[in-house]
Amino acid sequence: MSSVRQYELIYIVPPETTDEALAELQTQVEAITQRFGATIEKTENWGRRKLAYEIGKHRDGVYVLHVINGPAELVTELDRRLRVFDLVVRHLVVRVDEELAIAERARVRRKSSMASRRVRRGLPPEPTEAEKRRDHDDDDMDGLEQGFRGGRDGDR
């Protein structure tokens, strides 16, 4: 009954980790995701970066990001398995689709609010192309007018 959601998995391995060991870890993560019917949308190796604080005598680490689409049970299994691996210094799994949904709802709310304000003023709900162009041109001129006149009000 679980739905498919999008997650970002980021883990850090020690900088002296070989490419073969890192590839083996990535194949194990892929095997876990396939077992749960999930898919890895994207994998990025961010390379060696300095850690914010020392973790187990490591000042640097190799960061790897996986964007995974799958069920919630996958996250608990990934978390359990990554805690056991000695190769993984730290890991974090974050649900991404919830943040995208919140941003989309906010965008729709702003757009409907703008449309209702425009209708109350007797304007069409959506700005016309001429209004969009004029607003863009006005934005460009504001900085120039301030510079020439010494401020918004000018010398009155």
Side-chain angles (χ1 to χ4, degrees), residues 13-65:
V13 296
E16 62 271 0
T17 303
T18 63
D19 290 337
E20 294 81 23
L22 188 58
E24 174 63 28
L25 178 61
Q26 288 178 354
T27 56
Q28 288 180 7
V29 169
E30 289 172 7
I32 295 168
T33 57
Q34 288 174 358
R35 197 174 82 210
F36 282 89
T39 59
I40 296 180
E41 187 175 308
K42 177 173 64 170
T43 300
E44 291 181 7
N45 186 337
W46 289 351
R48 185 177 181 157
R49 294 178 181 240
K50 184 175 175 160
L51 300 175
Y53 53 90
E54 190 173 312
I55 302 174
K57 298 184 181 178
H58 297 289
R59 295 182 185 275
D60 296 339
V62 176
Y63 286 69
V64 179
L65 165 76

Side-chain angles (χ1 to χ4, degrees), residues 84-101:
V84 174
F85 290 134
D86 291 334
L87 186 62
V88 177
V89 175
R90 285 280 194 274
H91 72 280
L92 178 67
V93 182
V94 179
R95 182 175 162 193
V96 180
D97 63 345
E98 186 174 347
E99 295 169 359
L100 295 174

Side-chain angles (χ1 to χ4, degrees), residues 81-132:
R81 298 283 292 271
L82 288 173
R83 269 189 269 133
V84 174
F85 290 134
D86 291 334
L87 186 62
V88 177
V89 175
R90 285 280 194 274
H91 72 280
L92 178 67
V93 182
V94 179
R95 182 175 162 193
V96 180
D97 63 345
E98 186 174 347
E99 295 169 359
L100 295 174
I102 290 170
E104 179 63 23
R105 284 193 302 264
R107 187 186 66 75
V108 168
R109 197 175 325 118
R110 277 193 313 270
K111 189 171 182 176
S112 66
S113 172
M114 182 188 75
S116 66
R117 284 193 314 267
R118 288 179 61 83
V119 168
R120 281 192 303 247
R121 287 188 278 162
L123 300 170
E126 293 292 321
T128 62
E129 288 299 319
E131 287 176 320
K132 289 179 185 176

